[in-house]
Each structure stands twice: as C-alpha cells, then as structure tokens.
Amino acid sequence: MLARFNLKTTKKEGFYPIDEAVRGAVAQSQAQNGLAVVFCPHTTAGLTINENADPDVARDLMAGLNRAFPDDPAFAHREGNSQAHLKALALGSSLSLVIENGRLLLGVWQGIFFGEFDGPRNRTFFVKVISG
Amino acid sequence: MLARFNLKTTKKEGFYPIDEAVRGAVAQSQAQNGLAVVFCPHTTAGLTINENADPDVARDLMAGLNRAFPDDPAFAHREGNSQAHLKALALGSSLSLVIENGRLLLGVWQGIFFGEFDGPRNRTFFVKVISG
Amino acid sequence: MLARFNLKTTKKEGFYPIDEAVRGAVAQSQAQNGLAVVFCPHTTAGLTINENADPDVARDLMAGLNRAFPDDPAFAHREGNSQAHLKALALGSSLSLVIENGRLLLGVWQGIFFGEFDGPRNRTFFVKVISG
C-alpha cells in the first residue's frame, strides 16, 4: 500500500510532526508486521526522527544545522537555496520504520518530522507499507 | 522476524560495533534473500556503517561530528543534550541492509555501529528481517 | 532481485548520477510495487538523493560538506582519509526508494547520486528490489 499526504509549510524552515499521518497509513494498510518507508520527493526538505516531547529540541536542531551548514555567498546555484539542499542531504529523503503487531515501533521520545528548509511551500510525502 | 537487543553503553559518547548481533538476527530469521532493517528507538543515539578495521576511524568520526555540531550555550532544550540530538540526526535512526544467500551483504571494511551521544545508558536496538 | 553495478570514479571527490542504473534494476526485476534499496559497500563513499537539474547544486553540496567536515591534522587514522569517512557518514550507505506501478517514485527534481569522497577508485553499488 502507498499513501500520499500533503503538507502546507508555513515558514522558511521548521520541523513538522507527521506521526499521525504515518500511523494512519500503517493502520489503513492492515499490515500486522512489516516495514513502513516514508519518502520525501523534494530536494530542499527531508525526513528525520527525533524528540517530540520538548519543542525546544526541534528549534535547537534547526539552529545546529544552520551552524554546521551555513549559507555561503560562494555557492554557485542560482536559486540561492543551496543551504536548504545541504540540510536536506543531512537529513535524508527516506525513513525505514518497523511495524510490529499492527503498530509502528517507535521509542517513547521519538517523533517523525518533515524538515522544511526552503518554505513556505506545498509539500508532499509518501508512506509505503510492505508486509512480512 | 523482529529481534531486540540490549546494549549497555559505558561512556558519554562512542561507537559500538553491533555486526555480530545483526548477523545473528539474520541467521535466526533463516531468510535467504531480503532486507534487514536495524532500528534505533532513541533520540540521542543513532546508527551508522563505517570502517571497523582501524579503531581510530571511529574516534575521528566522533571528533568530526563534535566539530560540525558543537555544543552551544544558546540551545534552549533544558536537558542540555541538544548536541546529542543533533549527532543522532546526522547518523539517522535506521539502516537498510541487504541479505543475499543467507548472509548480510557488507563491504570488506564495513562495520555496523551504534553511536551513543548521551551515555552511559541502557540502550536497545531492533533488527527486522523481510524476505523477498 | 539483487543487481550489482560498477562505477569508476575519476576524481578525488564528486557526485555521480546513478538514476539510470537504479531504474534499470527496477525494470529488470519486473516488480510492479515494492521497495528498491540502493546499498553502497564502501566506507569513504555514500549515497544521497538531491537535485540533478542544475549541476551547481552538487558542487555546492560538496563545498558545504567540506566546510562542515573539514580535514583536521588531529585526525588519528593513518590513512589520512578520515574526512572522507565523515562525509560518507553524513550521506549514509543506503537509500530506500518506492516502486509504484513498475516505476521508481522520485520527485521532479530528484536524482540519485553516488558520492565519492576518496577517489578516484573502482566502486560498486547494489540495488535490491522487494515486491509488495
């Protein structure tokens, strides 16, 4: 089963929790055991799993990414968003998650985030479920 | 098949080889061909594949991560471990590995590592095997 | 199905588009729906998905990675290529892609890249297809 979700991001950059969408796709698939792969089809956005209890964590993650991958006037890409492409690379475009007894296996503090680095935009992500 | 492993980390940070556990899970699954997904349910630890021949590589990796993602007094998260969350993001929470003829497909120099960034702690990781 | 590809890199570092190889493996597998996992068996090279429309993006990505993970005379690894190991860690060794209706699901601007960080070398990568 493949589910597609739309996400309207509202700022230049930020982390958007997508746990509910992913859990919904897993439930809809009726898979008892297997894998759920979340895929981001964009090149200036990415996916990550991190703490969703304290929103300050996501803010610190963005600050840390901006420090590690600062914007640079020497970047050649004309669109001027190479920094966003770099942060997307750091996160990656897909997540592989485990389904056990019909539920997504996540740690207590783990949340699934869509990382926007060049918004606001209308974004999309996919959840593919494989039984087994 | 889903296997769960416990790992007791002994220091603030370090890379722990987990090849043997992953290989054991693959053997136990009796899958001849398929995928093995290793999943880390923590938000201040992650998984990576890198050289396991010279232990200096893992030490240099940690030094390089700490340089790219330094601790920052401006971090807002009260627990004070945002740097560990950032390094976990850089590694990622899951690895997708190939099983071929009953064996894990890894390069000659590749080892699988659990990266601890906020230890010492009692940690867990999972190995999910899908045949196909 | 598991396909193996050879790639001769020609410079110290660079991003090599491998879309065609991955699409070929998917077509050959005749899978209508499922997953394609691309795996890199090296420790100084990695895989990423990013923009392939403007070649300046790949150049900027390499510049940004070199800034985030500079070479360091304090690195202990005798081979002197710890920087390449770090960049491989930042990318990761595998990509999980979705197959839908016999085709690879990729965004309009997305291309699949093999990132070489310690070339030139004779490199290899694998594409594993799972139906479902």
Side-chain angles (χ1 to χ4, degrees), chain B residues 53-69:
Chain B
D54 175 4
D56 281 339
V57 172
R59 245 171 277 148
D60 291 349
L61 290 176
M62 193 63 82
L65 285 170
N66 283 328
R67 184 165 171 170
F69 305 105

Side-chain angles (χ1 to χ4, degrees), chain B residues 21-33:
Chain B
V22 179
R23 282 186 210 281
V26 169
Q28 202 193 326
S29 76
Q30 300 187 302
Q32 284 307 296
N33 299 285

Side-chain angles (χ1 to χ4, degrees), chain C residues 47-71:
Chain C
L47 299 164
T48 194
I49 294 174
N50 218 292
E51 181 178 329
N52 67 353
D54 174 4
D56 280 339
V57 173
R59 244 171 277 148
D60 290 350
L61 290 176
M62 193 62 83
L65 285 170
N66 283 327
R67 184 165 172 170
F69 305 105
D71 202 1

Side-chain angles (χ1 to χ4, degrees), chain A residues 27-89:
Chain A
Q28 202 193 327
S29 76
Q30 300 188 304
Q32 284 306 294
N33 299 285
L35 294 178
V37 169
V38 191
F39 185 77
C40 168
H42 307 288
T43 59
T44 54
L47 299 164
T48 193
I49 294 174
N50 218 291
E51 181 178 326
N52 68 353
D54 175 4
D56 280 340
V57 173
R59 245 170 277 148
D60 291 349
L61 290 176
M62 194 62 83
L65 285 170
N66 284 327
R67 184 165 171 170
F69 304 105
D71 203 1
D72 187 338
F75 284 149
H77 183 42
R78 288 228 181 148
E79 278 187 75
N81 60 356
S82 287
Q83 192 194 12
H85 287 285
L86 262 167
K87 290 184 278 186
L89 177 151

Side-chain angles (χ1 to χ4, degrees), chain C residues 3 7 11 26 31 41 49 65 71 93 96 98 100 112:
Chain C
L7 174 68
K11 289 174 299 185
V26 169
I49 294 174
L65 285 170
D71 202 1
S93 305
S96 293
V98 176
E100 182 70 359
I112 311 169

Side-chain angles (χ1 to χ4, degrees), chain A residues 47 65 68-69 85-93, chain B residues 15 47-50 61 64-65 68-69 86-92, chain C residues 15 43-50 61-62 64-66 68-69 82-95 115 117:
Chain A
L47 299 164
L65 285 170
F69 304 105
H85 287 285
L86 262 167
K87 290 184 278 186
L89 177 151
L91 266 71
S93 304
Chain B
F15 289 103
L47 299 165
T48 194
I49 294 174
N50 217 292
L61 290 176
L65 285 170
F69 305 105
L86 262 167
K87 290 184 280 185
L89 178 151
L91 267 71
Chain C
F15 288 104
T43 59
T44 53
L47 299 164
T48 194
I49 294 174
N50 218 292
L61 290 176
M62 193 62 83
L65 285 170
N66 283 327
F69 305 105
S82 287
Q83 193 195 12
H85 287 285
L86 262 166
K87 290 184 279 185
L89 178 151
L91 266 71
S93 305
S94 64
L95 299 174
F117 303 118

Side-chain angles (χ1 to χ4, degrees), chain C residues 25-40:
Chain C
V26 169
Q28 201 193 327
S29 76
Q30 299 187 305
Q32 284 306 296
N33 299 285
L35 294 178
V37 169
V38 191
F39 186 77
C40 168

